[in-house]
Amino acid sequence: MARMPSAERRRQLTEAAIRAMARDGVARTTTRSIAAEAGVSLSVFHYCFDSKQALVEAVITTLTDHSVTVVKQALRPRATLVETVRAGFQAYWDHVRAHPDEHMLTYELTQYALREPGFEHLARRQYELYGAAYTELIDGLRRSMGLRLAVPASVLARYLAAMTDGLTLNYLVLGEESAWADILDTVTAHIAALVDDDLRRA
């Protein structure tokens, strides 16, 4: 087996865990099955992760990064604020449609963490990550476009996290792809309205 830096090995094992958990479910995924998915020995797994809690936290962080990365790439200033916000939502939504198994896994991880003794803090950590990611996106957009928010960034970040959480779960349950363009347009208009009107017209 080729030697690999420990950080890279952790990333490899985390991505393997995501694939195994998305396929088999969180509760049925074992350290042995993750090691097999990654093509490494069980001893390598235990060298990289000293507990299942550490692995679950790495999975939650990586899943969040997957979504945030595509939004960051799309969320650059455009001709209007509405176009900018819409592009960010579209990038996220394209990721949901392309990787529904990953997004379904996020909900399963929440429920698992809330029900498994000793894992409860990871559910809180998951939603703190969502809030931090949205806050970073909001602050970046505010600086690049010279915007002022009508509500505090922390409030808007938590609101966006709650809204996208609900929208994603609705999509995973109901599908109905043809309806989502209008829904995203409605959400975009609502979010754009939470930016100070005077500055948007300036």
Side-chain angles (χ1 to χ4, degrees):
M1 182 191 305
R3 292 187 62 84
M4 183 181 294
S6 58
E8 182 60 31
R9 185 67 78 187
R10 281 174 61 91
R11 283 192 291 272
Q12 179 194 27
L13 284 163
T14 301
E15 294 291 352
I18 290 170
R19 294 193 301 272
M21 289 177 177
R23 182 184 62 240
D24 303 327
V26 176
R28 290 189 297 276
T29 299
T30 64
T31 54
R32 189 175 300 277
S33 67
I34 294 168
E37 181 75 25
V40 303
S41 67
L42 195 56
S43 62
V44 170
F45 177 93
H46 289 299
Y47 175 78
C48 293
F49 293 101
D50 58 7
S51 67
K52 192 169 184 181
Q53 288 95 330
L55 170 68
V56 171
E57 183 167 6
V59 167
I60 288 171
T61 302
T62 300
L63 285 171
T64 303
D65 287 344
H66 286 179
S67 297
V68 171
T69 297
V70 298
V71 175
K72 280 182 178 178
Q73 291 170 349
L75 199 63
R76 61 183 186 276
R78 298 169 191 265
T80 67
L81 177 64
V82 169
E83 290 177 32
T84 304
V85 174
R86 185 64 169 81
F89 274 118
Q90 189 63 55
Y92 172 79
W93 209 251
D94 288 345
H95 191 272
V96 173
R97 293 171 62 203
H99 304 282
D101 53 340
E102 284 194 11
H103 290 272
M104 193 176 302
L105 177 56
T106 65
Y107 294 100
E108 188 176 353
L109 284 165
T110 305
Q111 293 297 316
Y112 177 83
L114 288 173
R115 291 180 179 276
E116 189 73 11
F119 284 70
E120 302 90 342
H121 67 286
L122 294 178
R124 183 176 184 87
R125 172 63 176 157
Q126 181 180 14
Y127 278 78
E128 287 173 345
L129 279 173
Y130 294 165
Y134 277 113
T135 299
E136 181 182 353
L137 291 170
I138 291 165
D139 285 342
L141 190 61
R142 180 170 54 182
R143 289 191 299 269
S144 63
M145 297 188 73
L147 303 173
R148 180 183 302 158
L149 302 178
V151 296
S154 60
V155 173
L156 183 56
R158 183 167 289 190
Y159 176 73
L160 282 167
M163 182 179 58
T164 53
D165 205 31
L167 287 172
T168 304
L169 186 56
N170 266 262
Y171 173 76
L172 293 173
V173 173
L174 299 175
E176 300 176 357
E177 290 199 18
S178 61
W180 289 97
D182 289 341
I183 292 171
L184 293 184
D185 286 342
T186 301
V187 170
T188 297
H190 184 116
I191 296 304
L194 295 176
V195 175
D196 185 275
D197 285 335
D198 290 338
L199 283 175
R200 273 193 287 154
R201 290 194 293 265

